[in-house]
Amino acid sequence: MAALKIGEIIRAKGLINETQIEIALAHQKITGELFGEVAVKLGFVSSKELGQALAEQSGMEYIDLSQHPISEDALKLFSKEIAENAAFIPIDITNDRLSIGITSPSNIIAVDRVTSATKSQPKVYMVDPDNFRESLEKGYFFLENPIHQTREKLISEIKETKTASGNVVTSLTDLIFMDGIRRNATDIHINPASDIVHIFYRIDGVLQYGHGLPKIVHAGIVSRIKILSKLDIAETRLPQDGSFTYEFLHKMYDIRVSTVPTIYGENVVMRILAGTGPLLRIEKLGFDDPAVKIIKTLFQKPYGVILMAGPTGSGKTTTLYAALREINLLERNVITVEDPVEYKLSLIKQTQVSEKAGYDFAFAARNFMRQDPDVMLIGEIRDEETARIAVRTAITGHLVLSTIHTNDAVTSIPRLLDLRVDKFLMSSSLLAIIAQRLARRICPFCKVEYALNDDERNLFHEYRIEIHTTYKGTGCSKCHGTGYSGRFAIGEILIIDDELRELLYANVPITAIQAAAVKKGMVPLKEDGLRKVASGITSFDELLRVTG
């Protein structure tokens, strides 16, 4: 497909403008890459958006491999070499018909190869290049190296020798990391008990049991993780923090490590940061249409402070970057300081904190002013100095974006006051606070209707939400028995207008500010969640789990 034609497709869908096309073409002349690849690399479109646009153009169905488990039975039909050479991925077998994914609509070779091998025409889907490569690598690696077989083999060796050799410890530690990556876990917990070591994975915000390992391997696994993280292996009585980079299937994963001594040995928690995540647009996060319009309008403002509020792992950074894509990066200079950089965007100047070098949020924010910024993204407001600098920077005509750890939008105000931010400056500079949670979507493969009880129905009536049918997932092989697949955002947007500024400065109770905001049209977090339950996206139980 010609480069210009791809440009026309994504321009017609409103994903790219004329100026961006010119820059992408100039980039293409120098690098010689395909136009679509350049547009993705520059952050003008995401790999997923490109795949969807090509699917629409060719009249094919698009499938998101990150949300669709690959069938091992399908993978077994072809070797990795054949799939790679013909540029397709086996996805599933339904009613004896194979489904495959391709990245180019003109890939006839893949269809011919599959038809001749299976004696029937495959169901062909478009997939995006990034997910294609990752799913192909992961799928075939775990097909050839099944986690449970590797684990049982290593445990048998330990039982036979009654020792845990260096090779066994290394293999088990790698198995723990690889299984976390395979399951798309955000955290790995290594919990020692009196006679066993439990491994848990946090998946879609919920801890799931992973493995039980012999207690004899515990000290070795902890020592290996400490060596990788450059921690003191001799110190077992005090908590320690560190980090390291783990490479798996040509992809780098930043892993944060925290150790805490317990009565049964050191407890280790590791956070997996997968480097560049998929770039999303505000419309794709889960916010409803009115909220999307408000967020887009906010990010066009020339100055002020916009805060993303929520606990750890609630998707604040993802939303911040999705909204950042609404800013004209060709006309406005955007500079960031993050811990660490989770999403890489080519036209944004991104920096990473380094505690050892003394480069923290406050130090970076102070020095950014010399870089002629229009927009400053400060990863997190966690101390007094960073909070004050953020507010002063906004007062001097800059748009400041940051995150803050609070339960909802309105409680961010006392948190800022607790950080000794001047009340007048805060009320003058705050534009909005967006609070959010991530709730799990009901698995589409095992979704069933269920009846609400009277207490549940009364809660919907309290918020004046009509409810006819509710759903839940029963659990199936596709969702690993959880009943859920993927996550989306539920949120509330507190816009600080003149009336709320006066209330802020007048030192009224937080409940009065909340009531005034709701009166002006703010949809509270719980109400937004109840609306999503009513529309069948998530379950009532899941809403209670994330909002209480």
Side-chain angles (χ1 to χ4, degrees):
M1 189 172 284
L4 185 60
K5 198 162 187 183
I6 294 173
E8 285 172 353
I9 297 164
I10 54 182
R11 183 178 56 189
K13 287 178 71 69
L15 298 172
I16 195 169
N17 60 38
E18 289 294 338
T19 312
Q20 290 171 326
I21 288 172
E22 280 177 34
I23 290 169
L25 288 170
H27 190 110
Q28 185 188 23
K29 278 182 187 174
I30 293 167
T31 62
E33 295 166 294
L34 293 171
F35 181 85
E37 288 176 7
V38 172
V40 171
K41 187 187 280 186
L42 289 170
F44 296 153
V45 294
S46 68
S47 181
K48 183 175 174 179
E49 287 164 347
L50 185 66
Q52 287 171 323
L54 286 169
E56 197 174 300
Q57 172 70 11
S58 54
M60 293 169 68
E61 200 177 329
Y62 173 83
I63 199 165
D64 183 356
L65 290 178
S66 66
Q67 300 295 322
H68 198 290
I70 303 294
S71 159
E72 285 196 353
D73 290 335
L75 289 173
K76 284 174 185 172
L77 294 176
F78 296 92
S79 69
K80 185 187 177 190
E81 189 181 7
I82 289 172
E84 264 183 329
N85 289 342
F88 74 91
I89 182 168
I91 296 173
D92 212 343
I93 302 169
T94 311
N95 301 326
D96 295 326
R97 189 184 182 193
L98 180 68
S99 302
I100 65 167
I102 57 174
T103 57
S104 168
S106 57
N107 186 355
I108 303 160
I109 296 167
V111 179
D112 289 346
R113 179 66 62 92
V114 173
T115 305
S116 63
T118 61
K119 304 292 184 278
S120 66
Q121 189 90 356
K123 168 78 174 154
V124 184
Y125 293 96
M126 274 296 294
V127 297
D128 62 272
D130 285 359
N131 273 324
F132 170 79
R133 281 187 287 271
E134 191 169 335
S135 298
L136 191 77
E137 291 284 347
K138 274 190 188 178
Y140 279 104
F141 178 86
F142 290 112
L143 182 68
E144 292 160 17
N145 305 278
I147 289 286
H148 64 282
Q149 282 184 20
T150 308
R151 182 194 62 208
E152 293 310 315
K153 185 181 163 190
L154 291 168
I155 290 174
S156 296
E157 191 177 324
I158 292 164
K159 284 178 178 173
E160 279 175 28
T161 60
K162 293 186 170 54
T163 59
S165 68
N167 287 340
V168 167
V169 166
T170 300
S171 299
L172 273 175
T173 310
D174 283 339
L175 180 139
I176 291 167
F177 295 148
M178 290 187 297
D179 201 26
I181 293 165
R182 179 180 74 90
R183 294 167 180 243
N184 295 318
T186 54
D187 300 84
I188 302 171
H189 291 238
I190 300 174
N191 305 152
S194 58
D195 53 357
I196 190 173
V197 180
H198 298 293
I199 311 297
F200 287 89
Y201 296 102
R202 189 174 292 280
I203 300 159
D204 285 342
V206 179
L207 280 180
Q208 293 182 20
Y209 193 75
H211 311 281
L213 303 176
K215 185 67 186 275
I216 195 171
V217 302
H218 178 251
I221 289 173
V222 173
S223 292
R224 172 150 170 76
I225 291 166
K226 282 183 171 182
I227 289 165
L228 289 169
S229 313
K230 296 182 173 60
L231 299 178
D232 183 356
I233 59 168
E235 181 55 78
T236 58
R237 298 162 304 168
L238 294 171
Q240 294 188 70
D241 290 317
S243 63
F244 64 94
T245 303
Y246 185 75
E247 185 178 357
F248 180 61
L249 299 177
H250 316 297
K251 188 171 179 180
M252 307 304 285
Y253 296 85
D254 288 325
I255 299 188
R256 297 272 195 79
V257 178
S258 170
T259 70
V260 170
T262 73
I263 56 171
Y264 296 121
E266 287 180 281
N267 194 81
V268 181
V269 175
M270 294 176 283
R271 167 147 287 201
I272 304 172
L273 298 159
T276 305
L279 274 174
L280 299 170
R281 291 190 188 270
I282 284 291
E283 296 91 339
K284 304 292 183 185
L285 297 178
F287 294 101
D288 56 23
D289 291 342
V292 167
K293 283 179 186 169
I294 292 167
I295 293 170
K296 285 188 173 187
T297 305
L298 285 170
F299 277 73
Q300 299 305 322
K301 300 281 185 186
Y303 54 83
V305 177
I306 301 173
L307 293 178
M308 287 297 312
T312 302
S314 58
K316 300 186 294 295
T317 307
T318 302
T319 301
L320 213 47
Y321 264 94
L324 209 52
R325 292 184 74 189
E326 301 301 324
I327 292 172
N328 188 336
L329 301 176
L330 303 174
E331 293 179 2
R332 299 176 81 183
N333 182 24
V334 181
I335 188 161
T336 80
V337 56
E338 302 165 70
D339 182 21
V341 172
E342 288 182 51
Y343 297 89
K344 296 177 176 70
L345 288 178
S346 60
L347 292 171
I348 292 177
K349 278 60 74 180
Q350 295 172 279
T351 72
Q352 192 160 300
V353 298
S354 171
E355 299 293 343
K356 285 180 183 174
Y359 185 67
D360 59 13
F361 289 126
F363 184 85
R366 277 199 309 273
N367 287 276
F368 278 179
M369 297 304 287
R370 301 189 192 103
Q371 288 283 315
D372 183 31
D374 296 298
V375 182
M376 268 169 55
L377 187 153
I378 302 168
E380 185 189 334
I381 290 179
R382 57 168 76 145
D383 56 54
E384 293 177 17
E385 191 180 1
T386 310
R388 285 201 294 268
I389 291 167
V391 167
R392 283 176 189 152
T393 303
I395 294 286
T396 56
H398 302 83
L399 184 64
V400 178
L401 317 171
S402 193
T403 67
I404 191 164
H405 283 212
T406 54
N407 283 330
D408 55 25
V410 79
T411 53
S412 301
I413 293 162
R415 174 68 183 134
L416 288 171
L417 293 173
D418 185 46
L419 290 171
R420 300 190 182 182
V421 174
D422 181 86
K423 196 182 294 178
F424 173 73
L425 292 179
M426 181 182 72
S427 60
S428 306
S429 62
L430 260 183
L431 283 175
I433 303 166
I434 305 165
Q436 72 171 60
R437 294 288 188 283
L438 289 179
R440 293 178 293 172
R441 288 181 191 275
I442 298 169
C443 171
F445 300 101
C446 60
K447 188 176 183 177
V448 294
E449 289 186 26
Y450 86 104
L452 290 170
N453 62 37
D454 290 342
D455 289 341
E456 291 167 344
R457 196 171 289 279
N458 288 339
L459 189 58
F460 284 94
H461 289 159
E462 188 185 318
Y463 284 94
R464 297 184 181 85
I465 296 170
E466 271 193 47
I467 182 80
H468 302 291
T469 311
T470 50
Y471 299 88
K472 65 179 178 181
T474 56
C476 63
S477 60
K478 301 272 190 188
C479 61
H480 305 291
T482 62
Y484 299 96
S485 177
R487 290 192 288 178
F488 67 97
I490 57 174
E492 63 181 11
I493 305 169
L494 175 67
I495 296 171
I496 313 293
D497 61 8
D498 290 340
E499 187 186 327
L500 259 61
R501 280 195 182 90
E502 283 181 23
L503 289 175
L504 274 176
Y505 194 60
N507 209 19
V508 300
I510 289 300
T511 49
I513 296 172
Q514 173 87 0
V518 170
K519 196 176 177 183
K520 283 174 165 289
M522 182 182 93
V523 178
L525 204 61
K526 193 154 205 167
E527 184 179 336
D528 186 49
L530 287 166
R531 289 179 182 181
K532 303 285 167 55
V533 174
S535 60
I537 300 170
T538 191
S539 69
F540 190 83
D541 288 345
E542 177 65 4
L543 174 68
L544 291 184
R545 184 185 73 81
V546 296
T547 64

